[in-house]
Amino acid sequence: MDNMDLTCGHFVNPFTDIGFKIIFGQPASKELLITLLNELLAGEHRIENLIFLDKENHSDSMADAGIIYDLYCLTDTGEYIIVEMQNRFHSSFLDRTLFYMCRAIGRQVENLREKRRKERELQTGKPETEEDFLLSEPMQENYGSRYKLSTVYGIFLMNFREPGLEEKFRTDTVIADRESGKVVNPHFRQIFLQFPYFTKELKDCETLYDKLIYTLKNMQHWNRMPDALKEQVFSRLEELAAVANLSLEDRIAYDKALDRYRVSRIVEEDAREAGWKKGLAEGRAEGLAEGRAEGLAEGRAEGQAKEKVAIARNLKSLGLSTAQIAQATGLTEEEVESTVNN
């Protein structure tokens, strides 16, 4: 394991759950999150403001209770955004992200009144009482309008390689026609970012987007921000992410999260090394067995060849013709001639 993975740098590790929320999930970091999201959605959508929603969806089913997103936001134009930092691979990860998306979409219809209230609160900048909301609530709409959805974005930052995705850093998914590629429904968007595939050096990062991704991947090892990161967003990130600036409560929570992160990395590395050693031992044993089998086969073949030569010579001494000897031993007539004459 790289020793850098076990050091505690000047900045929090964004691949821990607490570290990620310290950087992006508190009111003071809202502008930083907006910047990251706008870079990810450049050319598609621009966010001016957002609010953090309750990150736990309470379910009627005990099996579904406690569905947690790292961040769950509502933008000023009505889009819902799920942002999750996933540090380790687990089975059915893509299915889980789909479930998160479907749950967020379903909640829009189930809690239509609450959805409208939150949207209006974000637009006006102040909370509404139940009485205020009812007075401003429009008249009963037709059945179809109930299912008019806001776009849900799922953005999943992954510190591992997902076998179900292509071997590249960013994968964008939409609901589209399989043949033409035309988007059928624009309200379902997923963005998967596989950090192990982001291999750019800082000198190669020309856009703010690349610089942000580079920083998230490497900042846990730094003692200060590199001079090349001059944009204001990195000054704000430096302030928010400095371990020394954490409150006592956040520092205790972060230290625990960092310990979990380190242990998980050690367990993964030990498992990988154990698997490598087991594979090496099995490979050596298999190779030895194959070598023995090949040697035995070669020895048998060589013995059979020598036996045929001896028989051919005996038959020749008895006066049999070359053709008769070839038929009796299975040798060709050329082999018989060269064998009995040497």
Side-chain angles (χ1 to χ4, degrees):
M1 178 182 292
D2 189 340
N3 290 332
M4 293 178 67
D5 288 334
L6 297 180
T7 59
C8 182
H10 178 77
F11 301 110
V12 298
N13 184 341
F15 295 108
T16 62
D17 50 359
I18 299 298
F20 184 75
K21 291 172 184 175
I22 287 172
I23 295 173
F24 292 112
Q26 53 182 323
S29 60
K30 184 169 71 171
E31 293 302 320
L32 190 60
L33 176 61
I34 290 174
T35 299
L36 175 65
L37 294 176
N38 281 335
E39 289 300 312
L40 288 170
L41 302 176
E44 177 179 351
H45 183 69
R46 181 163 185 82
I47 301 167
E48 298 294 339
N49 193 14
L50 57 77
I51 58 174
F52 296 103
L53 302 177
D54 181 11
K55 293 179 284 297
E56 181 172 354
N57 280 330
H58 300 284
S59 172
D60 295 333
S61 168
M62 289 299 295
D64 292 339
I67 302 302
I68 304 296
Y69 316 114
D70 281 347
L71 299 176
Y72 188 35
C73 315
L74 174 64
T75 73
D76 55 327
T77 49
E79 292 80 19
Y80 291 83
I81 301 181
I82 297 167
V83 187
E84 181 186 349
M85 172 67 81
Q86 178 69 28
N87 182 48
R88 299 178 61 189
F89 167 80
H90 68 72
S91 60
S92 304
F93 172 74
L94 296 181
D95 288 344
R96 180 167 65 83
T97 65
L98 179 62
F99 174 76
Y100 280 5
M101 297 288 291
C102 293
R103 174 57 59 89
I105 290 171
R107 291 299 185 193
Q108 293 186 45
V109 177
E110 294 171 10
N111 301 323
L112 185 61
R113 177 170 292 181
E114 183 65 18
K115 172 179 181 284
R116 288 172 175 166
R117 180 184 295 178
K118 286 291 185 182
E119 291 173 348
R120 194 167 299 160
E121 176 183 331
L122 187 55
Q123 292 168 2
T124 61
K126 59 180 181 179
E128 289 184 324
T129 65
E130 180 72 14
E131 183 179 354
D132 292 336
F133 178 77
L134 290 175
L135 289 173
S136 59
E137 180 73 347
M139 296 180 62
Q140 183 69 31
E141 300 171 339
N142 62 53
Y143 177 79
S145 63
R146 178 181 179 85
Y147 295 93
K148 183 178 181 181
L149 299 176
S150 299
T151 300
V152 176
Y153 290 93
I155 298 173
F156 303 96
L157 294 79
M158 305 149 58
N159 194 26
F160 63 92
R161 294 176 174 86
E162 166 56 53
L165 299 176
E166 292 188 30
E167 295 180 356
K168 61 180 182 178
F169 169 60
R170 176 168 177 163
T171 299
D172 286 68
T173 68
V174 297
I175 298 177
D177 179 81
R178 186 172 184 176
E179 183 176 356
S180 68
K182 181 180 178 181
V183 175
V184 175
N185 191 311
H187 299 305
F188 185 99
R189 284 280 286 108
Q190 288 180 294
I191 299 174
F192 298 96
L193 304 177
Q194 299 180 88
F195 274 77
Y197 290 117
F198 186 87
T199 57
K200 288 186 178 181
E201 298 295 332
L202 181 54
K203 60 182 176 60
D204 302 317
C205 296
E206 299 179 354
T207 65
L208 179 59
Y209 170 75
D210 282 346
K211 291 178 182 179
L212 282 169
I213 297 302
Y214 177 85
T215 300
L216 289 177
K217 182 174 182 178
N218 296 285
M219 63 184 292
Q220 60 178 303
H221 308 307
W222 298 344
N223 289 320
R224 64 180 183 86
M225 284 287 169
D227 294 335
L229 300 176
K230 300 177 180 179
E231 291 84 352
Q232 179 63 30
V233 63
F234 296 106
S235 297
R236 183 59 175 152
L237 179 57
E238 184 173 24
E239 178 184 353
L240 287 169
V243 173
N245 292 342
L246 300 181
S247 66
L248 178 60
E249 182 181 359
D250 283 345
R251 181 58 190 268
I252 293 173
Y254 174 66
D255 286 343
K256 291 180 179 178
L258 190 60
D259 286 342
R260 291 195 298 270
Y261 172 81
R262 290 168 173 168
V263 169
S264 71
R265 294 297 299 273
I266 292 172
V267 170
E268 288 177 357
E269 195 67 25
D270 287 349
R272 189 179 298 112
E273 183 175 355
W276 178 81
K277 289 181 178 179
K278 181 180 179 181
L280 182 62
E282 291 177 351
R284 286 174 174 169
E286 184 178 348
L288 183 60
E290 290 179 355
R292 288 173 177 169
E294 290 176 1
L296 183 60
E298 290 177 0
R300 287 174 177 170
E302 183 176 350
Q304 291 173 350
K306 289 182 178 179
E307 183 179 3
K308 288 181 179 181
V309 169
I311 293 173
R313 287 175 176 168
N314 288 336
L315 294 177
K316 184 67 174 178
S317 66
L318 295 174
L320 273 67
S321 67
T322 299
Q324 289 173 323
I325 296 173
Q327 185 176 6
T329 60
L331 298 171
T332 65
E333 293 187 12
E334 291 77 8
E335 288 173 336
V336 171
E337 291 291 340
S338 63
T339 296
V340 298
N341 293 328
N342 291 330

